[in-house]
């Protein structure tokens, strides 16, 4: 490449190429909604829920307004509140812990495994003991399928069963991935996901969904979604939310779901190319046995002593964006400082926050552009 030319910037995620691929189908789907005008609870919402149930294997799918609402609605349905503890990893997006606090309960933060970035069940056990020692009643656990890789749902289920906890899987980043051949959406009591545009399956605004096999929970969630409605929406039998997914977003998602598996396969090709190109110079993410990933993020760990800001600046100068998920774990954030952490602290979460960095990752990252990223990473580290 000509050294004097400013290289074309590479997008961190590429929504534009996908738009060129299925834009016409989406425009037509949205036009149908504009014609029938059922913007709330239109037929596309029901059709999407049916398609998502078939895709995941879950018995019920309740779409909702966001991934955060998906988590919160399950906690509300379980009557989680003051005095209850819900355990969750700290190395995740804040919404995982936020939903617990919004429900009035206490999030108790636990550590993650260094190799997978997912919940460490030994720390989970310590967290349960910590909660009890503080006079809290542990009622649930929220494992996260971070960066797109499924957590070890067998290990989580074993601890949850022994302690009588419900499992609410936060698959906001991992929907589409599987554990031991079973799709996320079918583990634990319920699974929450997000359709925020940057997630692997994203809409053109905010959206989310809850997956469950539990008939009673599904009914309660459908009530909570519309202000706790009973026999009709002016019969309010419990507290609820304006928690619906709008019809337009459902119409978009129906079209996107049709190419989702193809996009997941493409993301896996990108991940394999990164692993081959960078595996001997940085710590690349590894899939644990039985786990697949939809690669919501491709997150590497820089060698000890690397100046992460300088590394990011070197890539940026070459038109390559990076992002840091997460510069601070939740327990290190101002709003969450006073909530308990598992005994022994969360050393892995704190270490990861210091050395992770995420590279461009999307289904349309072609080999030439990716080679530029790989060379820039190698160049920045060898400089
Ligand atoms: C994005 C995300 C959420 C929240 O989803 P929203 O749709 O943005 O509310 C929750 N948990 C995790 C792990 C996420 O990445």
């Amino acid at each position: 490449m000509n050294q004097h030319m400013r290289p074309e910037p590479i997008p961190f995620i590429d929504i534009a190429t996908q738009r060129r691929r299925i834009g016409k189908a989406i425009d037509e789907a949205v036009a149908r909604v504009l014609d029938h005008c059922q913007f709330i609870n239109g037929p596309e919402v029901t059709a999407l829920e049916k398609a998502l149930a078939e895709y995941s294997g879950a018995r019920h799918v309740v779409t909702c307004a966001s991934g955060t609402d998906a988590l919160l609605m399950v906690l509300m349905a379980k009557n989680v509140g003051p005095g209850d503890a819900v355990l969750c990893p700290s190395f995740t997006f804040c919404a995982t812990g936020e939903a617990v606090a919004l429900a009035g309960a206490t999030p108790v933060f636990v550590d993650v495994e260094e190799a997978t970035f997912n919940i460490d069940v030994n720390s989970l056990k310590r967290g349960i003991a910590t909660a009890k020692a503080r006079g809290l009643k542990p009622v649930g656990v929220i494992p996260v399928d971070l960066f797109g890789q499924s957590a070890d749902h067998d290990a989580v289920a074993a601890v949850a069963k022994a302690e009588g906890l419900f499992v609410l899987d936060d698959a906001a980043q991992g929907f589409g991935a599987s554990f031991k051949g079973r799709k996320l959406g079918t583990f634990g009591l319920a699974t929450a996901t997000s359709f925020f545009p940057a997630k692997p399956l994203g809409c053109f605004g905010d959206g989310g969904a809850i997956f469950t096999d539990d008939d009673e929970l599904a009914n309660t969630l459908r009530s909570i979604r519309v202000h706790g409605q009973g026999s009709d929406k002016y019969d309010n039998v419990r507290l609820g939310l304006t928690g619906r997914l709008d019809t337009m977003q459902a119409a978009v998602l129906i079209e996107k779901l049709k190419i989702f598996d193809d996009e997941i396969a493409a993301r896996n090709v990108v991940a394999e190319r990164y692993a081959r190109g960078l595996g001997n110079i940085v710590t690349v993410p590894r899939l644990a046995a039985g786990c697949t990933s939809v690669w919501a993020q491709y997150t590497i760990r820089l060698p000890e002593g690397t100046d992460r800001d300088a590394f990011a600046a070197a890539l940026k100068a070459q038109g390559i964006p990076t992002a840091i998920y997460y510069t601070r774990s939740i327990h290190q954030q101002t709003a969450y400082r006073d909530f308990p952490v598992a005994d022994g602290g969360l050393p892995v979460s704190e270490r990861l926050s210091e050395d992770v960095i995420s590279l461009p990752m999307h289904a349309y990252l072609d080999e030439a552009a990716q080679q530029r990223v790989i060379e820039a990473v190698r160049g920045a580290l060898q400089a």
Side-chain angles (χ1 to χ4, degrees), residues 59-337:
R59 206 164 135 97
H60 302 282
V61 176
V62 179
T63 54
C64 60
S66 69
T68 307
D69 276 2
L71 293 165
L72 178 61
M73 285 165 65
V74 174
L75 297 172
M76 289 170 77
K78 293 299 288 178
N79 289 313
V80 167
D84 294 336
V86 177
L87 294 107
C88 66
S90 185
F91 188 67
T92 171
F93 182 59
C94 68
T96 314
E98 186 181 38
V100 176
L102 284 173
T106 303
V108 176
F109 296 111
V110 310
D111 216 352
V112 294
E113 287 180 351
E114 199 139 13
T116 61
F117 307 122
N118 280 328
I119 192 164
D120 173 346
V121 290
N122 290 314
S123 180
L124 171 60
K125 288 178 195 162
R126 286 195 295 275
I128 292 166
T130 307
K132 288 177 184 167
R134 293 192 173 216
L136 297 166
K137 181 173 180 249
V139 295
V141 53
I142 310 182
V144 179
D145 308 290
L146 200 72
F147 302 146
Q149 177 174 190
S150 72
D152 184 339
H153 289 287
D154 281 350
V156 172
V159 176
K161 184 158 183 253
E163 297 284 344
L165 311 183
F166 66 79
V167 178
L168 166 56
D169 184 23
D170 181 347
Q173 300 179 14
F175 183 65
S178 59
F179 177 69
K180 295 191 175 169
R182 243 169 77 198
K183 281 251 165 64
L184 296 185
T186 59
F187 295 92
L189 170 72
T191 300
T193 198
S194 164
F195 301 127
F196 181 78
K199 309 285 179 177
L201 180 62
C203 59
F204 291 164
D206 281 307
I210 303 150
F211 303 75
T212 185
D213 285 348
D214 186 314
D215 300 344
E216 197 189 319
L217 177 66
N219 282 334
T220 307
L221 291 170
R222 290 191 184 104
S223 163
I224 288 174
R225 178 166 69 175
V226 191
H227 299 285
Q229 73 175 9
S231 53
D232 67 63
K233 71 175 162 179
Y234 300 110
D235 173 32
N236 309 112
V237 297
R238 58 172 67 76
L239 297 182
L241 302 167
T242 302
R244 296 168 296 246
L245 178 74
D246 68 70
T247 312
M248 208 92 84
Q249 300 304 340
V252 169
L253 284 163
I254 288 170
E255 298 308 318
K256 289 210 181 190
L257 186 59
K258 291 177 188 168
I259 61 162
F260 189 40
D261 275 340
D262 182 60
E263 291 188 334
I264 292 171
R267 284 169 178 273
N268 272 281
V269 170
V270 172
E272 282 160 27
R273 288 200 296 244
Y274 270 143
R276 275 199 305 278
L278 297 174
N280 64 353
I281 190 159
V282 298
T283 306
V284 295
R286 294 265 170 241
L287 296 180
C291 298
T292 71
S293 180
V294 292
W295 303 104
Q297 301 296 342
Y298 193 85
T299 303
I300 59 171
R301 297 183 65 194
L302 296 174
E304 225 183 303
T306 309
D307 179 339
R308 184 168 59 181
D309 292 339
F311 174 85
L315 266 62
K316 193 175 174 211
Q318 298 179 59
I320 296 163
T322 56
I324 296 167
Y325 303 111
Y326 297 92
T327 50
R328 269 176 289 174
S329 292
I330 309 184
H331 72 284
Q332 299 173 301
Q333 297 280 3
T334 310
Y336 299 89
R337 250 179 229 156

